Amino acid sequence: MTDYAQEQEMEIEALEAILMDEFKEIHSSESGLNTSSRCFQITITPQDDDIDQSTTTPVQLGLIFSHTEKYPDEPPLLNVTSIKGVQPSDLKKLKEKLEQEASENLGMAMIYTLVSSAKDWLTDLYGQDDENDDIEDLEAIKDDVIIPHGEPVTVETFIAWRERFEAELALERAKLMPESVLSAPKEKKLTGRQWFESGKGRGAAPVNEGSEEEDEEDIDFDDDDFDADDEEDMLEHYLAEKSDSSSHHSSSRRAN
């Protein structure tokens, strides 16, 4: 003949040793169960090894049970209550789940099995929300971080860029040569480099002061009037001139 009382007492002692402060006996009037027998409450929190449960408890529930006369050959009386942050609708689902598992584990001590199941359920339901919040926080941090791209700017690279830019600008201006240069006889016609070196290409193209219409008329030359080699020669000449000028200024500063 099975000694149910002895089996129940042995299970209570085991639960006290395993759960310690999470396990306590409560009065039957606090249990919500229809019984006058001994009642116990087990505090359950989501499973998270990174959280200090003593200081951080986002959600908690209480699993309340009482042994019936023939437990474990019949299921225990069960109830669940929210200690912190658990919705009533979720508690109802959990209770139905635990009662179903209890009926599947008849004939063996099952309270600790139910505790583990409730902890997993709480972790899956509420721990996922915390994980999503962490992901959103990480994404927000990533959005705030500006990652630099490209080559870093130094004094040398800036000077090289500026000289190149000014050379290209001078080349564009050189294309605005007066018509007289372009229409000159072949033997007298200057190349782009010769006209640039003459100093005329460094300013704006001259205009005829005798006609107001000519003052307002834009000068437009076809790029085909310039040879590619002429453009390269003019660009190299301008860069060389800028380099000589920079060297001269540096020598003057050192002399002073």
Side-chain angles (χ1 to χ4, degrees):
M1 181 177 179
T2 304
D3 189 344
Y4 295 113
Q6 184 179 4
E7 286 193 21
Q8 295 168 13
E9 189 62 33
M10 289 176 61
E11 183 180 38
I12 291 173
E13 291 178 0
L15 291 172
E16 285 180 323
I18 296 171
L19 301 173
M20 302 177 68
D21 294 339
E22 297 175 351
F23 181 88
K24 67 177 181 179
E25 185 172 359
I26 61 175
H27 195 274
S28 60
S29 61
E30 303 174 39
S31 66
L33 301 174
N34 186 20
T35 183
S36 57
S37 302
R38 298 175 68 189
C39 297
F40 304 90
Q41 176 176 298
I42 300 172
T43 301
I44 298 175
T45 57
Q47 179 65 44
D48 193 337
D49 296 335
D50 296 332
I51 292 179
D52 182 1
Q53 302 293 349
S54 63
T55 58
T56 306
T57 52
V59 289
Q60 275 187 331
L61 64 83
L63 171 58
I64 300 171
F65 74 93
S66 178
H67 290 138
T68 55
E69 183 179 356
K70 294 183 179 180
Y71 173 89
D73 287 338
E74 62 184 20
L77 298 177
L78 297 172
N79 192 20
V80 287
T81 182
S82 174
I83 297 177
K84 182 179 181 181
V86 184
Q87 300 299 320
S89 58
D90 293 331
L91 291 174
K92 181 179 179 181
K93 294 177 182 178
L94 176 59
K95 183 178 180 180
E96 293 174 353
K97 171 183 170 64
L98 296 178
E99 288 176 343
Q100 176 64 31
E101 292 185 7
S103 64
E104 296 172 355
N105 287 275
L106 295 177
M108 57 182 291
M110 67 184 75
I111 299 300
Y112 189 77
T113 299
L114 300 180
V115 169
S116 298
S117 179
K119 184 180 287 289
D120 290 342
W121 173 89
L122 192 63
T123 301
D124 291 341
L125 184 61
Y126 289 93
Q128 184 65 36
D129 293 339
D130 294 338
E131 182 179 345
N132 291 337
D133 292 340
D134 292 340
I135 293 175
E136 292 177 0
D137 292 341
L138 289 174
E139 292 297 330
I141 293 173
K142 290 180 180 178
D143 292 339
D144 293 339
V145 175
I146 300 176
I147 302 176
H149 297 281
E151 181 181 354
V153 178
T154 63
V155 175
E156 291 75 13
T157 58
F158 174 76
I159 292 175
W161 169 85
R162 185 180 63 181
E163 291 181 352
R164 182 78 182 180
F165 172 77
E166 291 178 353
E168 291 176 353
L169 183 62
L171 183 60
E172 290 299 321
R173 289 179 178 175
K175 291 181 180 180
L176 300 178
M177 290 191 298
E179 183 67 25
S180 60
V181 176
L182 298 175
S183 60
K186 184 175 182 180
E187 61 275 8
K188 295 183 179 180
K189 187 175 181 179
L190 300 176
T191 66
R193 179 174 181 176
Q194 291 171 335
W195 185 82
F196 182 79
E197 291 179 347
S198 70
K200 297 177 181 180
R202 300 176 185 173
V207 296
N208 189 346
E209 296 179 356
S211 173
E212 293 183 0
E213 293 181 358
E214 291 180 358
D215 289 343
E216 297 177 356
E217 183 179 0
D218 292 335
I219 300 176
D220 187 13
F221 295 104
D222 193 340
D223 288 346
D224 293 339
D225 293 331
F226 292 87
D227 186 82
D229 292 337
D230 288 343
E231 290 187 359
E232 289 298 325
D233 290 342
M234 293 164 67
L235 187 58
E236 291 176 2
H237 176 78
Y238 184 84
L239 289 174
E241 191 177 70
K242 289 289 290 183
S243 177
D244 292 342
S245 176
S246 299
S247 300
H248 176 71
H249 287 309
S250 298
S251 299
S252 298
R253 290 196 186 99
R254 288 194 295 269
N256 293 335

